[in-house]
Every structure is written in structure tokens, then in C-alpha cells.
Amino acid sequence: KEYLKDDLQGYYIDTKKQNEVKFINKVKDIEVIDKGDEIVAKRSNTAEQVKLMLDIAEAKKWKLETLIIGGSVEFQKEVRKQIAERLQLRQELQQEDDIKIERPTTSAEQQRFNVQEQEQQQKAEKDISIKELKKSLKASEVLQYAINKYNLKAEDYELTSDNKINNKTNRQKPKNVIDFLQKELHITTSESISICKELYSKQPLDIKADKSKELEQMGLKISICKDANKNALNKWEQVEVKSYGELSALMKQYPYSMAQFEGARSGDNVKGYNNVLMYDIDNDKEPKLNLNEAKELLKQHGISAMIIPSKSHQIEKFTASGKSKGVGDRYRIVIPTNRETQFTSLEEYREFQQLTAIALKLEPYLDKQALNDKARFYYKSPVTAESHIIEAKRVMNIDKLESRAVERVEQKRAEAQAEAKRIKEIKANLNQYRTKPNNSNRASNNLTFVNAERIINDIDIKQLINHYERAEEYKEGNYVMMKSNTAKYSIIDSNIAHDFKSESTYNPLTYLQQKLNTTNLNIIAREAQKVTGDKYIEVNQEAVNMAIKTSLLKATNDKTFESGIKEYFGVDYYRFNGNKIKIADQEIEVNRDEIIDALKANREEQQRQQRYEQEGGYQGMEM
């Protein structure tokens, strides 16, 4: 117990056995045993019990990342959850400015320190740092969250110039966003950080440049194409303009793009992007944004911009099948930015485009495929097109948008790596996820049974997910994924899916159990039939054979045979027709001749018995 630095009030510590320490709390029904090279638990799998076990492990200097975990699925899930929370908190606390690190004194400690420092740095690069949260998350957002959720009195608090929150009712120093949640609302460190991250992800980004810049002073650059080919493949060059008039003239003469090309136009040949954003508004589907509404929206942002009609502006357009798209405002939005950008990957470009469109409140009106095209270009506008200038002394600041895009891509990559590792683990143990349930209903007196094996092996789990969740299917690397509002599935094979949000692995049967909230196989089988059109409730032929055999022990005619079948299965309906008998709602083929012969033999035996009794019980012989 010396090594466990924790509050053990209420625990009985048993050290009677050598090399074994027991931590027992009968009130909480907890018993944890430290056996030296392993820590085991008896009794319930509570979160508090798992916490105590991990406290012991950390006190013994065990690495949480490499622990071998055994036990029930629920226990393993709780352990992994708490380990993840501890590792995350450890990483975040490591990043605090005021943390004092004990420097190593030996070469072995130095080497261990270097490895740990590298691990911490790699983890830090994949997440939002505490320092960044304190600096960039607006204190006003946190205060408003607290007022709404915890009914704080707004008049008791004020915001300081250095992005902190001051409680006017006490003499304490103003607190940063994380300290405010911890010390004012008594929320745990990990939960406070989690809340701040959530608020940070939703926080509108400032898109105005810090300094005023007239367009004429900044040197706006775009790429134009002087190739006569309609696909604008070659002869791309970067040009600089000093006014919107000059920009408008170029856009009426040449195809143009925000991308800088090194050679022919292609995604692979994009070397960077000019200090300009471009958006195409077609208004071919809802919601629509007419030209005047676009002007008002851009004015609200307070940034300089230009709108120029495209060649199909106020002209009727048609689909490939000849269906009219109608007449409407069709135009391009051009927005100067504070600098050029250079993205190292398609993922970063796409993330940046999406974040930028959201920040400008244009995302609902844009073609999503256009936002994903690194080598996107636009056809020239008609000579008669009238450009509309949104005058402002500020240009759009993309610094935070670009940082956020890179940050999110790194997070997604880390998630993808973790998911790939989990998928590999599942594939190595697929059979455990195809196990049939123990509560089989194939009893000897059941007319039917549910073929659970067919449900597990024959149903395509994607069909079920689509039916219940309307999920979007896509590919992530080599893996087929399905995403809904509540789950993110990896389709391991046709009948195994893993949900990364709940950390649950399903086969078709367990998925139906979860969706229907029942383990009743009959209910599940009927629902599965509705979805797939196939039957999974089958006739229990062994029981039918036994029922016929039992009934034929006494039956001498159709009526007594029918009575025996009904009694065996406890049903009300029975019918014998041709070579089939119908019991309840099941129609079953039988050997009619064998049944008739058996009934006839029973009648003859009955008649012999009657004669025997009439003759006084004497035995005799007959020919």
C-alpha cells in the first residue's frame, strides 16, 4: 500500500499472503488483488474498480499503452476508455507552460527521457494544445456556455483584455478558459479540456486581416490559361493585378483558377494557391442565393470581394437528359486573401476549402465536388458581364483557417491509423464475432426454430445498416466505411461491421439485437424477413417426426391422429391434405402412405384386442 498514492478511505488492505496485496471495499463491492506481475479484480466491473486497478498499475510504473487486458467485453471496454483518458490528460498536462520537468542524470535516464519526449511531441502534434485553447478560444464563448448550462448570473462576471474571465464577487485573479471551468464550476481537468475543445471546434474564425489593406496595395494574383483547348490543360501562367477592373477584364478574356500549376493543369501539378478564393454559385438546386443576397452576405463579413456573372447567368440551363434547370442568377465570387497558400496534400486542401466556405456562410450553396477539386478552373465570363464590387478596406485573413485545416487533417490521420489497427485486430479474431447464441429455441416440442446461423452468415450487414440508419457508404484507404448520424462503421466483411463511435463489433444477429433491443430470436427472425425477404424461421423436422411417431402410438384414424399432433405442439389448427400436413401456419411434407398404413395397423390391432376381450380373454391364433 506504500506505493499507492490514493485516497483509500473505506478500503480494507489485506497483506496476509506473501507477494499479494488485496484492496477490499465491501460497501462498494470492490476487490482488487495486486499479485506482483498482474493485477486482477473480483466482484463487479465498476468504473471505480477499474480506476483503482489503473492507479496501482501507474504507481508500479507500468506503461498503460502496453498493458495486456483480459476479462469480459464490458471490462475491457471500460479499461481502454480510462487508459485513453489518462494518456490524453498526461499529454495535455505535459504541454502546460509552467510544468517543471525533472531532467535525467544518467545516460539510461536521458535515453528514456528522449523517447518519452518524442512520444509526447508526436501526440501533441495530433491534437489541440492547452496553450492554443487558452490563447485562441474566446473567453466569451466559455462564459456564455457556463451561463446557459449552469444558470450563472451574467452580471457577476466580466471579460478581461487578455482573454480571461473575472468573477466580480470575489477577489481571486481572472481565470483562463480552462481554469474557469475547473475552479468556478468544479469540473474535472479532462472534462474541462474536452468542453473547451468542443467550443473551439465550433467557434467562428476571424476572417478579417489584422491590418487594413487596399486592393491596389496588395498585388492580387490569379492564374490564367492562354490555351485554346476547351479543357484549359496547358499554357497556364500567374499574373498580378492592381484593381478589380483589371481582374474583371482578365476573367472575361481567359479561363482562370486560384491554383498555381507547374506544367499541365492537374491535381498532381498544383504547386500552391494564389492569394485569392473563388466560388461558383449555379443556383441549380435548393437552397439558392441570388446575386443581391450574395452581395449583402459579403458586406456583413466586412471584407473586400467581387462578384462577376458567369456565361449562364439568367439563361435557361438543361440537364443531359433535357430537363430544364430553370433561369437564375449564376455567378462567381472572388475574395482576395492576406497571403498565398501551399498545401501538402489533397486532404488539407479539401479541409481548408470546407472550413473557408463555412466561415463565409457560403457552404450550403456550393457544389461540394468543386470544393474537392485541387485543379479547379473556371470558364471566362461574357464580355457584357457587369462586375459587382464589395468595398472594404480589409481582405480575408486565412491564417487560422489554414492552421485549423492542417490540425484537423492530422487528427483524422491519427484516427485513421488507430482505426486501421483496430480493424486488423478484429480480422485476426473473426470467428468470435460469428458465435451463435446459446438461447437456441430448437427444443423437441417446438414446431419451428430460428436458424440463427443463417442470420449471421447469409445476411449482408450493409443491407441492415442502410435499412435502419440510411448510412453514407465511402472508402477510407482500403476499407469500406459507412457513416450515419450516430455511428461510423468499418465493413470488415459481408457480415461483420465495427462501429468506432461505440467501439462495438456486430454480426447481423447482434446488430438486430441492438437495434430491436431484444434477444428474442423469433422477433429478430421476423424483422430480418421484412428487411431481406428471406425466411429464417424453419420447421423443426426432428420435432415433427417425433410428434408423428408419438401420435401413431395410439391413433387409429385421422381424427385421433390430428388430436395427437395438436396436443404435442399445443396448437389449435391442423389439416392433412395429400402428402402435406399443415400445423398452425407451417406446411410440411410427409409420407402419406406410411401414416395411413400405420393407422390401419392400429385399427386392426384394436379390433383384435376387442375380440379377445369379448371371448373371455382366451388366447388363440388367426390365419
Side-chain angles (χ1 to χ4, degrees), residues 353-394:
Q353 283 285 78
Q354 184 181 24
L355 286 173
T356 306
I358 292 171
L360 290 165
K361 299 181 181 179
L362 291 172
E363 199 248 357
Y365 314 105
L366 300 175
D367 179 0
K368 304 302 183 291
Q369 288 185 334
L371 292 180
N372 292 336
D373 184 1
K374 279 182 71 176
R376 178 76 170 175
F377 85 99
Y378 301 92
Y379 291 110
K380 60 185 179 179
S381 292
V383 177
T384 56
E386 179 186 356
S387 57
H388 303 263
I389 312 300
I390 289 81
E391 296 183 359
K393 291 186 178 181
R394 293 180 183 270

Side-chain angles (χ1 to χ4, degrees), residues 109-123:
E109 287 179 353
Q110 180 67 53
Q111 186 176 4
R112 186 163 56 251
F113 173 81
N114 291 340
V115 171
Q116 291 174 346
E117 197 172 53
Q118 186 177 4
E119 287 176 354
Q120 292 292 340
Q121 181 61 32
Q122 290 173 345
K123 290 176 183 176

Side-chain angles (χ1 to χ4, degrees), residues 447-600:
L447 176 61
T448 60
F449 73 100
V450 174
N451 193 329
E453 191 171 343
R454 280 196 57 227
I455 293 176
I456 293 170
N457 295 325
D458 293 357
I459 297 179
D460 186 343
I461 199 162
K462 289 197 297 183
Q463 184 180 11
L464 295 178
I465 294 172
N466 273 322
H467 177 80
Y468 287 102
E469 303 184 56
R470 306 290 182 190
E472 171 197 0
E473 184 175 334
Y474 62 99
K475 287 203 75 175
E476 199 169 271
N478 296 323
Y479 303 109
V480 176
M481 311 293 290
M482 296 184 78
K483 193 171 185 178
S484 67
N485 292 332
T486 57
K488 179 184 178 183
Y489 298 100
S490 174
I491 308 303
I492 310 298
D493 66 11
S494 62
N495 49 28
I496 301 289
H498 180 76
D499 175 23
F500 289 106
K501 289 190 177 180
S502 66
E503 272 300 316
S504 300
T505 305
Y506 299 103
N507 62 43
L509 178 60
T510 54
Y511 179 84
L512 286 167
Q513 287 174 340
Q514 183 256 343
K515 284 298 172 187
L516 301 176
N517 194 27
T518 182
T519 57
N520 186 302
L521 290 175
N522 284 292
I523 294 174
I524 291 169
R526 293 189 195 99
E527 186 67 18
Q529 183 177 345
K530 291 178 185 177
V531 177
T532 67
D534 293 330
K535 290 184 177 181
Y536 303 96
I537 297 178
E538 300 179 6
V539 172
N540 189 350
Q541 192 61 53
E542 291 178 7
V544 171
N545 293 341
M546 181 59 68
I548 292 173
K549 183 178 180 180
T550 303
S551 298
L552 287 176
L553 290 176
K554 298 178 181 179
T556 57
N557 53 41
D558 289 351
K559 189 172 183 179
T560 53
F561 179 68
E562 174 185 337
S563 178
I565 296 292
K566 285 181 176 180
E567 182 181 349
Y568 188 91
F569 288 117
V571 299
D572 295 326
Y573 184 83
Y574 164 90
R575 186 179 179 187
F576 199 162
N577 185 17
N579 284 325
K580 293 181 180 179
I581 56 174
K582 189 168 186 181
I583 307 171
D585 60 346
Q586 299 296 319
E587 200 167 55
I588 306 143
E589 287 193 12
V590 295
N591 190 321
R592 179 183 176 84
D593 292 339
E594 283 186 1
I595 293 174
I596 290 174
D597 288 345
L599 292 174
K600 182 180 178 182

Side-chain angles (χ1 to χ4, degrees), residues 166-344:
N166 180 40
N167 186 339
K168 295 188 289 185
T169 65
N170 61 39
R171 295 183 179 181
Q172 296 176 7
K173 291 180 180 180
K175 301 174 181 65
N176 63 55
V177 291
I178 295 174
D179 287 346
F180 172 76
L181 294 174
Q182 286 179 278
K183 297 173 183 177
E184 289 287 336
L185 302 178
H186 306 291
I187 298 173
T188 64
T189 303
S190 59
E191 190 178 352
S192 297
I193 293 169
S194 179
I195 291 169
C196 287
K197 285 183 179 181
E198 180 69 18
L199 293 173
Y200 178 79
S201 68
K202 296 177 180 178
Q203 176 177 282
L205 292 172
D206 184 7
I207 60 175
K208 298 178 184 178
D210 296 331
K211 296 180 180 179
S212 299
K213 287 186 178 180
E214 298 289 353
L215 179 63
E216 287 78 6
Q217 298 172 338
M218 62 172 295
L220 175 66
K221 295 177 182 178
I222 67 165
S223 298
I224 60 172
C225 178
K226 295 184 178 180
D227 190 354
N229 186 293
K230 69 174 184 177
N231 293 320
L233 295 176
N234 299 296
K235 298 183 180 179
W236 280 91
E237 60 183 70
Q238 186 186 51
V239 294
E240 184 175 330
V241 297
K242 296 293 185 181
S243 69
Y244 278 124
E246 191 179 343
L247 176 64
S248 176
L250 281 172
M251 293 169 70
K252 294 175 184 179
Q253 284 182 276
Y254 305 105
Y256 52 93
S257 175
M258 57 185 274
Q260 301 168 9
F261 299 106
E262 204 163 41
R265 182 181 67 83
S266 71
D268 292 337
N269 288 339
V270 173
K271 63 178 182 178
Y273 295 88
N274 297 306
N275 58 334
V276 64
L277 297 173
M278 297 176 179
Y279 299 102
D280 190 25
I281 307 290
D282 270 343
N283 283 322
D284 288 342
K285 55 187 178 182
E286 298 294 338
K288 297 184 179 182
L289 183 73
N290 66 42
L291 200 148
N292 287 329
E293 290 170 336
K295 287 166 64 176
E296 290 303 313
L297 178 60
L298 292 169
K299 285 178 183 177
Q300 291 173 18
H301 293 313
I303 54 174
S304 182
M306 183 182 82
I307 298 176
I308 185 169
S310 61
K311 65 179 181 178
S312 55
H313 178 62
Q314 287 300 321
I315 294 175
E316 187 173 17
K317 286 178 66 177
F318 298 89
T319 64
S321 61
K323 185 179 179 180
S324 174
K325 293 183 178 180
V327 177
D329 289 349
R330 299 184 177 93
Y331 52 89
R332 311 271 160 68
I333 295 176
V334 183
I335 301 174
T337 62
N338 62 319
R339 62 181 175 81
E340 298 179 3
T341 58
Q342 288 184 326
F343 293 102
T344 58

Side-chain angles (χ1 to χ4, degrees), residues 420-435:
K421 183 180 178 182
R422 184 73 181 107
I423 292 169
K424 189 175 180 180
E425 291 172 354
I426 294 169
K427 283 187 172 181
N429 298 281
L430 272 182
N431 286 337
Q432 69 173 300
Y433 302 108
R434 295 194 175 103
T435 305

